[in-house]
Amino acid sequence: MNLPTVEDARATMFDTVQPLPFEDVTVAQADGRWLMGDVLAIRDQPPFDASAMDGWAVQAADVAPGAVLAIVGESAAGRGFSGLVGSGQTARISTGAPLPAGADHVVIQEDAKREGATVILQGPVTAGHIRRQGCDFRAEERLLSAGTRLNPWQLALAASAGTATLICGRRPVVAILATGDELVEPGQPIGADQIFNAGSPALAAFIVRHGGIATALTSAVDRDDAVIEAVTLATFDVLVTIGGASVGDHDRVKPALRTLGAQIRVEGVAMRPGKPVWFATLPDGRLVLGLPGNPASALVCAELFLAPLMAALQGATVESHFQTAILTAPLPANGPRDHYLRARSASEPDGRLHVTPFSDQDSSLVTVMAAANALIRRPPHAPPAAMGDAVSVLGPTL
């Protein structure tokens, strides 16, 4: 079979994606959500000339060591001084408070001494310390653009603009179906020929981290009727299956879903690990992503396919997050498929990202997967790479 490349498989998948409906989300609940409408400032920030320090509002002509100024009022944060600061006068001012009319400088409190109703400036005097109106942003300025994935810093910006709710893509509901007679849920009694289900909890955490709502379906045994029942009773936007993706007698997921009318659009990808990954659409348009049974293979494919699918469903523009890193160990020539090697990356004092591949890349090794935080991509037929060569890396993300 002439399998598609990772890029071709992704393109086929994205052709089927329609963004989910948008919804209003409070700023406090929008972390990690994809913004679907621009955020515009409704006024200047700060909306007035404000003091950057605690001190005294004065006129520039009066700033000199030994000057004695009459106190005429106070400007506090949230309660400005409505009067005028004239020549030879001053007003007490707090950080963030409006600069009173007539004043054009702030003398910090360390450079002044109060004596009754007057202030004596003490040298050397440093003046200024004013945040000018609009120095942060201006009214009608676009502060955040649609397509941004929101973080707490950006939420602070939105809130400072007076925004109470944000238009975000709805979180996709992703159902996880782990198949296999050999699987037992962690914490349950296990037989000698069985293994614990590591894939489902890992994928559930992955889905939440990428903005989705994870639901774990009851693990289905290797029978068509069990798979059909599990899928028929579930509510989801995306169904992710773990295992049952190959062509063995006990791999019943694809035959069962075909019974439900699924159209298989990708049936294997030219990559390792993850060659059996597949993709389908159900008659109602919902998506199905089939992942290999090995947790390492499943998570590699989740990085390459599930994460961008979830972003697209939330209305985001899907972009590649590969970057360049420097190898700390040599690599042999690659074969005919894309190879994604589990690796450990770190920024070094030279300012560059360095990456170390693990020596054993067996896709069944959960310990290697747990220690990795990056994937090295080796293109088909890539020549040997020496220590110090530049390679393409996805991560640190895992």
Side-chain angles (χ1 to χ4, degrees):
M1 182 185 297
N2 187 21
L3 296 177
T5 65
V6 171
E7 289 76 12
D8 289 344
R10 282 161 56 106
T12 298
M13 295 178 188
F14 296 150
D15 282 345
T16 68
V17 174
Q18 293 295 325
L20 297 171
F22 302 160
E23 59 187 11
D24 289 336
V25 180
T26 64
V27 171
Q29 299 296 319
D31 184 34
R33 303 290 292 266
W34 294 96
L35 182 65
M36 291 296 102
D38 293 345
V39 174
L40 303 180
I42 62 173
R43 65 174 188 171
D44 295 346
Q45 176 63 23
F48 42 74
D49 290 347
S51 178
M53 304 286 284
D54 291 340
W56 300 92
V58 299
Q59 291 190 358
D62 292 330
V63 178
V68 179
L69 306 177
I71 301 172
V72 295
E74 180 181 6
S75 182
R79 190 180 68 256
F81 176 56
S82 60
L84 176 71
V85 174
S87 177
Q89 297 179 330
T90 186
R92 179 68 170 151
I93 192 166
S94 303
T95 302
L99 189 69
D104 53 9
H105 281 272
V106 172
V107 175
I108 62 174
Q109 62 185 11
E110 292 83 355
D111 290 344
K113 180 181 179 181
R114 181 169 185 169
E115 291 189 355
T118 64
V119 167
I120 302 173
L121 303 187
Q122 298 177 322
V125 179
T126 58
H129 312 295
I130 297 172
R131 298 170 181 152
R132 295 298 178 187
Q133 179 175 342
C135 67
D136 197 353
F137 53 79
R138 292 288 186 179
E140 301 302 318
E141 182 179 343
R142 183 170 61 185
L143 303 179
L144 296 171
S145 299
T148 299
R149 191 176 189 198
L150 297 165
N151 60 40
W153 306 99
Q154 294 161 336
L155 297 179
L157 178 59
S160 71
T163 303
T165 59
L166 299 167
I167 302 172
C168 298
R170 178 171 69 77
R171 293 187 187 273
V173 177
V174 184
I176 304 168
L177 177 66
T179 66
D181 296 331
E182 76 279 11
L183 294 180
V184 174
E185 295 305 311
Q188 298 301 310
I190 191 167
D193 298 330
Q194 295 179 306
I195 60 174
F196 289 115
N197 177 13
S200 291
L203 262 297
F206 184 93
I207 289 162
V208 171
R209 180 169 292 192
H210 288 273
I213 299 170
T215 61
L217 307 186
T218 302
S219 297
V221 297
D222 294 323
R223 299 195 321 269
D224 289 21
D225 60 335
V227 174
I228 291 171
E229 180 181 11
V231 174
T232 301
L233 297 177
T235 300
F236 56 84
D237 301 301
V238 183
L239 172 66
V240 175
T241 68
I242 308 173
S246 294
V247 293
D249 293 340
H250 299 286
D251 295 323
R252 304 308 307 165
V253 176
K254 280 187 281 189
L257 290 180
R258 282 193 176 100
T259 301
L260 294 176
Q263 182 179 354
I264 310 297
R265 298 180 181 274
V266 174
E267 197 157 7
V269 179
M271 61 179 290
R272 55 185 290 228
K275 178 182 175 182
V277 69
W278 58 282
F279 177 78
T281 52
L282 294 170
D284 59 7
R286 291 181 296 172
L287 311 179
V288 182
L289 179 64
L291 302 179
N294 278 336
S297 299
L299 283 174
V300 168
C301 294
E303 288 283 357
L304 296 171
F305 302 112
L306 180 56
L309 279 176
M310 292 177 62
L313 283 168
Q314 294 172 82
T317 300
V318 178
E319 299 176 350
S320 172
H321 295 288
F322 283 90
Q323 56 186 318
T324 299
I326 304 302
L327 272 177
T328 64
L331 289 173
N334 192 30
R337 289 182 281 157
D338 265 346
H339 193 185
Y340 295 86
L341 294 87
R342 273 74 72 206
R344 191 77 192 169
S345 66
S347 296
E348 297 298 331
D350 63 6
R352 298 186 298 178
L353 186 68
H354 289 232
V355 64
T356 304
F358 289 97
S359 57
D360 194 337
Q361 293 289 324
D362 189 306
S363 61
S364 69
L365 300 180
V366 184
T367 51
V368 171
M369 175 190 70
N373 71 343
L375 297 172
I376 299 173
R377 181 183 184 181
R378 296 283 282 154
H381 306 293
M387 183 174 63
D389 283 353
V391 291
S392 182
V393 171
L394 179 63
T397 57
L398 298 180

